Amino acid sequence: MPDLDPSPDAPMGKYAMWLGHWQPRFNAFTTQVEVVLHGSFDATESAARGPNEAVRAGLKELEGYETAVAVKDAGWGPGAVAHEALTYAHAAAVVRGCSFPLSPSLSAKRLQQLLPFVGGFTARIIHQLLTTGSCEQLECFRANQPVRNSQGQLRPGTAGGAARAAFVKLPGVGPALAEVWEALYSLRYSGDLLSGTVSAEELEEMRAFLLASLAKVTGVSNGWRLQIVGGGRRSSAVHDVDYLVGHEADDSLLAGLVGKLYAHMVAAGRVVPEEEGFCRVQRSRMPGYKEKARMDVLLGRFDSNHQMDHYDHLWCIHISPAGRRRRWDLMFIPASFWPMAVVGW
């Protein structure tokens, strides 16, 4: 218990038990940072407090996975951080600095009240670690499966966590390269993905299936335009297929299309779902893009890739009727952007 009970009106008084001591001047603290700066983070002391260090180890493992899957994209700016990894890093430090042994009898809600910098979602993870020695997020990462966010939704881009965490330990390998390696290394379909150039027959089959799928999910059969780009357009050897997708007369058909198309093709057994292999669905980055681009030009900020990264897209593994797997990238392009996209890809 604290050496001195905090004042009843002390804004940070609820963290006195975590801190393990209290001084009158602490009653004026208004932020969690001020409290944490007076904590003790000695590993030996923490190890003597029952399960605290075991919980910290689980949180540090989660931090490592989150760092490995934090691939920078067009939404990142200079100095950006992996927020999920930082959340677990904060929680791991707070658990080590806790002055009392954590107990499974403490509910997630109570843990959130007692521990600074620990929100409801992280408190539930800590409670799972205390009661079972593991948690859903850890088990998913360890099994190279995607994890779920606080709303219970699968988080795109988090599959392959264990493999990617191993890759980033190698010199010169960052999260982006680790993601590419994991996609090539861990899928049991890698033989298909790496063997041989996509044939003309495969291209036609993929094109026909895509057109049929577009008609199915939108109710519109005519006016779709598909442009093969990348190595396939340049007649170079390719193991994947890249398509630009648009409509000649109605850009409104593209709104929400990527999610509907993905769901339809997975249900049809023609695309590997995101929980089983490489897949990335990006949607709704177009709104406000023109204004952002205008400001970037005015401020002299230029990025060689971001102008192509705001489109909705689906990067996935296509399954042919014969069961063969191929990388398949679909970019959904409004009519006003079509010429630039064709040239850019």
Side-chain angles (χ1 to χ4, degrees):
M1 293 298 294
D3 299 332
L4 179 67
D5 287 336
S7 170
D9 60 352
M12 295 292 109
K14 63 181 179 179
Y15 298 124
M17 186 174 177
W18 173 85
L19 191 59
H21 61 92
W22 199 260
Q23 300 178 26
R25 63 189 179 91
F26 293 176
N27 290 325
F29 288 170
T30 58
T31 66
Q32 297 175 61
V33 172
E34 293 170 290
V35 177
V36 169
L37 286 175
H38 288 80
S40 174
F41 300 93
D42 183 85
T44 302
E45 293 178 3
S46 179
R49 300 185 188 116
N52 291 22
E53 277 299 292
V55 172
R56 176 187 178 274
L59 293 168
K60 291 297 289 183
E61 186 178 349
L62 284 169
E63 178 193 352
Y65 292 135
E66 291 289 359
T67 300
V69 302
V71 178
K72 295 185 178 183
D73 58 28
W76 285 51
V81 297
H83 293 287
E84 290 84 2
L86 187 60
T87 295
Y88 289 126
H90 286 163
V94 164
V95 167
R96 172 167 282 182
C98 185
S99 69
F100 61 90
L102 297 174
S103 167
S105 64
L106 294 170
S107 67
K109 183 176 181 179
R110 184 59 177 152
L111 288 167
Q112 183 181 359
Q113 294 170 341
L114 292 172
L115 304 178
F117 291 109
V118 170
F121 183 64
T122 309
R124 291 194 294 273
I125 289 174
I126 293 174
H127 187 258
Q128 288 182 41
L129 290 169
L130 285 168
T131 54
T132 69
S134 187
C135 64
E136 179 185 349
Q137 283 71 22
L138 268 180
E139 294 306 311
C140 287
F141 272 132
R142 289 167 177 170
N144 286 310
Q145 298 298 313
V147 298
R148 297 183 183 275
N149 61 22
S150 57
Q151 285 75 47
Q153 302 165 330
L154 287 176
R155 285 173 48 205
T158 58
R164 292 156 72 177
F167 285 141
V168 297
K169 294 178 181 178
L170 299 174
V173 179
L177 181 57
E179 181 184 36
V180 175
W181 284 4
E182 189 275 332
L184 296 176
Y185 169 80
S186 66
L187 291 174
R188 64 182 180 273
Y189 313 122
S190 59
D192 284 346
L193 297 175
L194 296 176
S195 62
T197 302
V198 179
S199 68
E201 291 76 14
E202 288 179 282
L203 285 175
E204 178 54 32
E205 185 280 319
M206 295 168 85
R207 177 181 174 278
F209 173 65
L210 179 54
L211 285 172
S213 297
L214 289 167
K216 180 69 174 179
V217 301
T218 65
V220 176
S221 300
N222 300 319
W224 294 104
R225 52 182 177 181
L226 308 179
Q227 174 68 55
I228 190 167
V229 292
R233 182 181 63 179
R234 295 186 291 271
S235 299
S236 58
V238 291
H239 305 291
D240 62 348
V241 178
D242 302 334
Y243 267 114
L244 304 184
V245 181
H247 195 271
E248 295 176 353
D250 190 357
D251 281 346
S252 68
L253 293 172
L254 301 182
L257 177 58
V258 61
K260 298 174 186 176
L261 196 64
Y262 164 76
H264 167 74
M265 294 192 295
V266 168
R270 300 295 299 278
V271 161
V272 176
E274 60 182 344
E275 61 267 22
E276 296 181 13
F278 175 80
C279 183
R280 176 167 294 179
V281 182
Q282 175 174 290
R283 55 174 68 88
S284 301
R285 282 203 180 156
M286 283 296 294
Y289 172 76
K290 288 184 179 181
E291 178 61 21
K292 178 182 181 299
R294 187 182 72 84
M295 291 303 300
D296 285 347
V297 171
L298 288 175
L299 296 174
R301 298 186 304 223
F302 298 97
D303 186 324
S304 61
N305 294 318
H306 80 70
Q307 69 269 24
M308 296 300 177
D309 287 338
H310 60 282
Y311 305 120
D312 285 4
H313 62 236
L314 170 61
W315 298 343
C316 60
I317 305 295
H318 172 268
I319 307 172
S320 74
R324 190 167 194 175
R325 271 71 174 173
R326 293 290 193 185
R327 265 293 306 275
W328 203 19
D329 294 351
L330 307 176
M331 283 68 69
F332 299 84
I333 315 296
S336 61
F337 288 83
W338 189 267
M340 184 180 72
V342 171
V343 173
W345 264 286

